[in-house]
Amino acid sequence: MTAAVDWERLREAARDAMSRAYAPYSGYPVGVAALVDDGRIVSGCNVENASYGLGLCAECGLVSELQNTGGGRLTHFTCVDGNGDTLVPCGRCRQLLYEFGGPDLLLETPAGILPLSEMLPQAFGPGHLTK
Ligand code: THU
């Protein structure tokens, strides 16, 4: 039997990251956290820019931390807004998550725990490039 995942711990990590967001332009801080298949937790916050279009979503920081701390596969993911409430990742970030978690990555959403395959159907991914 696989151990139950501590979603509350993951949410806390996301809220903690959110508290460090740099979002002076939108005023919309976001925090994310994910469990890695080796047990690590990685997280990220959004980092905006005076050149608005260059702002980085929180998920950018998360995948960067994942890669820079040893890589691995994302298995469970959560995203929170400035109130600490569960938020869906934007479309571009679903694609970022797909690269490192694939269709089975579990996402906490306002509609419950869903696999990424339901949040990003028929995803384009690394497999297409090797066909
Ligand atoms: N944002 C994220 O960081 N992740 C998402 O998945 C949704 C949107 C950020 C980008 C921008 O800094 C702010 O939320 C408002 O769009």
Side-chain angles (χ1 to χ4, degrees):
M1 208 181 92
T2 44
V5 165
D6 190 347
W7 285 101
E8 183 52 35
R9 186 162 164 239
L10 222 48
R11 272 194 299 277
E12 279 310 313
R15 289 179 185 136
D16 194 41
M18 180 274 289
S19 73
R20 292 186 288 274
Y22 176 73
Y25 306 110
S26 70
Y28 197 85
V30 175
V32 292
L35 194 57
V36 184
D37 60 358
D38 64 1
R40 266 147 62 227
I41 287 181
V42 289
S43 61
C45 60
N46 53 338
V47 178
E48 298 183 346
N49 193 281
S51 180
Y52 293 171
L54 300 185
L56 301 174
C57 279
E59 290 84 345
C60 298
L62 182 145
V63 296
S64 181
E65 181 179 321
L66 172 72
Q67 190 62 22
N68 196 30
T69 58
R73 299 292 290 173
L74 301 174
T75 61
H76 300 77
F77 169 89
T78 193
C79 178
V80 298
D81 65 16
N83 296 318
D85 295 331
T86 304
L87 181 69
V88 285
C90 78
R92 178 179 181 274
C93 290
R94 293 177 200 196
Q95 185 72 37
L96 288 184
L97 295 171
Y98 188 80
E99 185 78 16
F100 298 101
D104 299 329
L105 170 63
L106 293 177
L107 274 66
E108 183 171 52
T109 83
I113 308 295
L114 294 173
L116 184 53
S117 57
E118 285 189 36
M119 301 295 284
L120 188 68
Q122 293 196 50
F124 174 82
H128 288 93
L129 301 179
T130 56
K131 266 186 195 158

